Amino acid sequence: MTQTGLKRELANRHVQLIAIGGTIGTGLFLGSGKAIEKAGPSIILTYLIVGMAIFFVMRALGELLLSKAGYQSFTDIAEDYLGPRAAFVTGWTYWFCWIMTAMADVIAVGVYVQYWFDIPQWMPAVLCLIVLLGLNLMTVKNFGELEFWFALIKVITILALIGLGIVLLVMGFRTDAGTVSVRNLWEHGGIFPNGVSGFLFSFQMVVFAYVGVELVGVSAAETANPEKSIPAAINKIPLRILFFYVGALFVLLCINPWTQLSPSESPFVRTFTLVGIPVAAGIINFVVLTSAASACNSGMFSTSRILYNLSRKGQAPQRLGRLNRNHVPSQSLFLSTIVISGGALLSKLLPGQAFEIVTTISAICFIWVWGVILVCHIRYKRIRPELHATSRFKAPFTPWINYVVLALFAGILVIMLISGETRPALLCTPIWFILLLVLYQLRGRKRDSEPVLETTNT
């Protein structure tokens, strides 16, 4: 049964928790250990810099989304301000980077379940995909409910960590690693123990930690009251960054000297173990499991909506634009789920490098998407100043802040090129963009070569 449009079933509480879940992900729970190894305590500054840049991206996206009622997502914005070619590349790139991210997360689900049950890794991964697919096929409200509870688990965990850290700081608690103290931030080699290079090389994993924050924009077409919920969610991003990222890492590094943290182990597990909580590993394993499932759920949602939007614009097969009786793009959802399931094969072929390759490519592609949003906002102010003048949600400090953030993103790409760990993935990623441009050109030639049927009046 085909329906005519997406249904607005995401309530304000769904949008708020989707925004929170988008700023707390696998990058924080798993990637922060490796980032801390590179940057030491200066990792707090890295998260702060990238977080503020993302906030300005989101303010630009919010103003653009609310400037025209017909916008479904930022691919519509890209087509309006940069043309169909840019919309085609941006839409498929956004689909691709979420596919890559979801692949890594569904593999992680299988690994985490093995902590409790001695079963093959692919079984819980496939089961997770089937359950999430079934729930997403019902209504968009199910996606909102899943993300609400997934995000709530992550929020409670970080709240518990910060609360525990404050108590230990006041007590001057002593662990096997030493006394819990703010001095741990500078007494083990200083704030920049590995120099400026270590600080700069941490940016890639920090960028990956923020992927998904733009889900507020993807869900705009299915939000019951976007004029109210989207600005509210975006305006709270700085507070969430300060609390959930900067606050959590500050507490972690006060409890643990950064030299005591292993890049292969979650610093959250290490912290709860140090303070003598016997079930710490199990608790954090459950939290990371739900975090991975949440990211996979977000990936399935966003990729299906992107394919649906591309199909509506004639940039993907028409069948991907079909909706089921619940107003869900089921064909797009099925295709994305099938591709995501290929993550198990990737982990088998490249078990040691798969996660870093996937996260690097994902970060690069997200930088592209965020950059397109900023460029669209620059053009929006230039060619439609009347819309900006009447906007109720003006992005601050524009347009110069857009150029500053774009320069930061360009600098991060240069850092990835210099780093031996991220260079191979960076050099391979342009192949994707070249492929998309070729496909767009071939698609245009095919359309031009189709015969035009003339009609006569009778």
Side-chain angles (χ1 to χ4, degrees), residues 16 34 59 76 84 155 177 193 207 214 225 273 341 361-362 401 411 444:
Q16 300 305 316
K34 190 165 187 178
R59 282 300 304 259
D76 293 334
V155 168
V207 168
E214 75 299 319
N225 189 1
T273 303
S341 66
I361 293 176
S362 178
I401 194 64

Side-chain angles (χ1 to χ4, degrees), residues 170-444:
V170 173
M171 292 173 55
F173 189 82
R174 188 168 184 81
T175 70
D176 293 339
T179 302
V180 177
S181 172
V182 179
R183 290 193 297 270
N184 285 329
L185 294 176
W186 59 80
E187 284 190 345
H188 301 274
I191 301 295
F192 297 87
N194 294 323
V196 176
S197 61
F199 168 70
L200 294 177
F201 289 152
S202 68
F203 272 84
Q204 177 268 328
M205 188 56 68
V206 173
V207 168
F208 176 73
Y210 283 108
V211 302
V213 69
E214 75 299 319
L215 270 179
V216 172
V218 178
S219 62
E222 295 165 277
T223 301
N225 189 1
E227 290 80 9
K228 178 181 178 181
S229 56
I230 289 178
I234 291 174
N235 282 336
K236 292 174 183 173
I237 287 177
L239 183 62
R240 288 164 182 157
I241 290 170
L242 288 172
F243 193 81
F244 293 114
Y245 278 109
V246 177
L249 289 170
F250 174 82
V251 169
L252 280 173
L253 294 172
C254 286
I255 297 174
N256 304 276
W258 75 273
T259 52
Q260 301 293 319
L261 297 175
S262 170
S264 60
E265 180 185 17
S266 170
F268 288 82
V269 175
R270 170 71 175 168
T271 299
F272 280 96
T273 303
L274 269 179
V275 297
I277 301 178
V279 293
I283 292 173
I284 298 303
N285 193 74
F286 175 73
V287 172
V288 176
L289 170 62
T290 59
S291 179
S294 170
C296 185
N297 188 43
S298 297
M300 293 172 67
F301 174 85
S302 59
T303 52
S304 63
R305 269 55 180 183
I306 287 292
L307 289 181
Y308 167 79
N309 196 45
L310 288 171
S311 176
R312 288 178 59 251
K313 298 295 184 182
Q315 297 176 342
Q318 288 186 357
R319 63 179 178 273
L320 296 179
R322 296 174 185 168
L323 302 178
N324 63 13
R325 66 183 63 194
N326 296 318
H327 298 262
V328 172
S330 53
Q331 298 295 320
S332 295
L333 193 57
F334 278 122
L335 176 60
S336 293
T337 304
I338 290 171
V339 179
I340 290 170
S341 66
L345 177 62
L346 182 64
S347 67
K348 184 177 181 180
L349 295 175
L350 298 167
Q353 300 87 17
F355 184 75
E356 181 140 11
I357 291 173
V358 164
T359 55
T360 302
I361 293 176
S362 178
I364 295 167
C365 293
F366 271 102
I367 285 175
W368 167 271
V369 172
W370 296 335
V372 166
I373 292 170
L374 292 172
V375 172
C376 286
H377 189 271
I378 291 172
R379 286 188 53 76
Y380 154 81
K381 286 197 66 175
R382 183 178 300 166
I383 67 178
R384 293 177 181 170
E386 70 283 356
L387 290 180
H388 176 69
T390 58
S391 174
R392 296 182 180 179
F393 192 56
K394 292 184 176 69
F397 311 122
T398 58
W400 68 266
I401 194 64
N402 295 24
Y403 293 109
V404 171
V405 176
L406 286 170
L408 173 65
F409 289 158
I412 292 173
L413 292 176
V414 172
I415 293 168
M416 290 184 185
L417 181 63
I418 296 173
S419 173
E421 294 180 353
T422 56
R423 188 187 305 121
L426 178 64
L427 294 177
C428 290
T429 303
I431 297 174
W432 167 256
F433 291 99
I434 293 171
L435 176 63
L436 286 179
L437 291 173
V438 171
L439 288 175
Y440 181 84
Q441 196 69 23
L442 292 175
R443 170 182 162 276

Side-chain angles (χ1 to χ4, degrees), residues 13-245:
R13 69 182 181 93
H14 295 143
V15 176
Q16 300 305 316
L17 267 294
I18 287 171
I20 293 176
T23 50
I24 307 172
T26 309
L28 176 63
F29 288 116
L30 295 179
S32 57
K34 190 165 187 178
I36 290 171
E37 181 196 30
K38 295 178 182 293
S42 66
I43 191 64
I44 296 174
L45 181 59
T46 311
Y47 272 97
L48 190 60
I49 292 172
V50 178
M52 289 300 99
I54 297 303
F55 168 67
F56 288 116
V57 172
M58 291 303 299
R59 282 300 304 259
L61 176 60
E63 181 177 357
L64 288 168
L65 281 172
L66 297 177
S67 68
K68 184 177 179 180
Y71 285 147
Q72 300 285 306
S73 70
F74 46 75
T75 52
D76 293 334
I77 296 170
E79 181 170 7
D80 202 4
Y81 289 99
L82 301 178
R85 189 194 307 269
F88 180 85
V89 173
T90 301
W92 280 105
T93 297
Y94 189 67
W95 177 83
F96 177 66
C97 58
W98 260 114
I99 285 290
M100 299 293 285
T101 304
M103 279 185 179
D105 288 308
V106 77
I107 294 167
V109 168
V111 174
Y112 299 145
V113 171
Q114 285 183 323
Y115 177 84
W116 294 292
F117 305 103
D118 186 18
I119 57 177
Q121 179 180 327
W122 63 269
M123 291 179 63
V126 172
L127 179 62
C128 175
L129 279 175
I130 292 173
V131 171
L132 294 178
L133 174 63
L135 291 172
N136 275 276
L137 281 172
M138 294 180 187
T139 63
V140 68
K141 192 173 182 179
N142 285 329
F143 165 78
E145 287 295 329
L146 278 174
E147 284 305 294
F148 179 86
W149 292 107
F150 280 148
L152 197 59
I153 291 172
K154 293 185 278 189
V155 168
I156 291 173
T157 300
I158 295 179
L159 285 174
L161 171 71
I162 294 176
L164 178 65
I166 293 173
V167 171
L168 297 180
L169 274 169
V170 173
M171 292 173 55
F173 189 82
R174 188 168 184 81
T175 70
D176 293 339
T179 302
V180 177
S181 172
V182 179
R183 290 193 297 270
N184 285 329
L185 294 176
W186 59 80
E187 284 190 345
H188 301 274
I191 301 295
F192 297 87
N194 294 323
V196 176
S197 61
F199 168 70
L200 294 177
F201 289 152
S202 68
F203 272 84
Q204 177 268 328
M205 188 56 68
V206 173
V207 168
F208 176 73
Y210 283 108
V211 302
V213 69
E214 75 299 319
L215 270 179
V216 172
V218 178
S219 62
E222 295 165 277
T223 301
N225 189 1
E227 290 80 9
K228 178 181 178 181
S229 56
I230 289 178
I234 291 174
N235 282 336
K236 292 174 183 173
I237 287 177
L239 183 62
R240 288 164 182 157
I241 290 170
L242 288 172
F243 193 81
F244 293 114
Y245 278 109

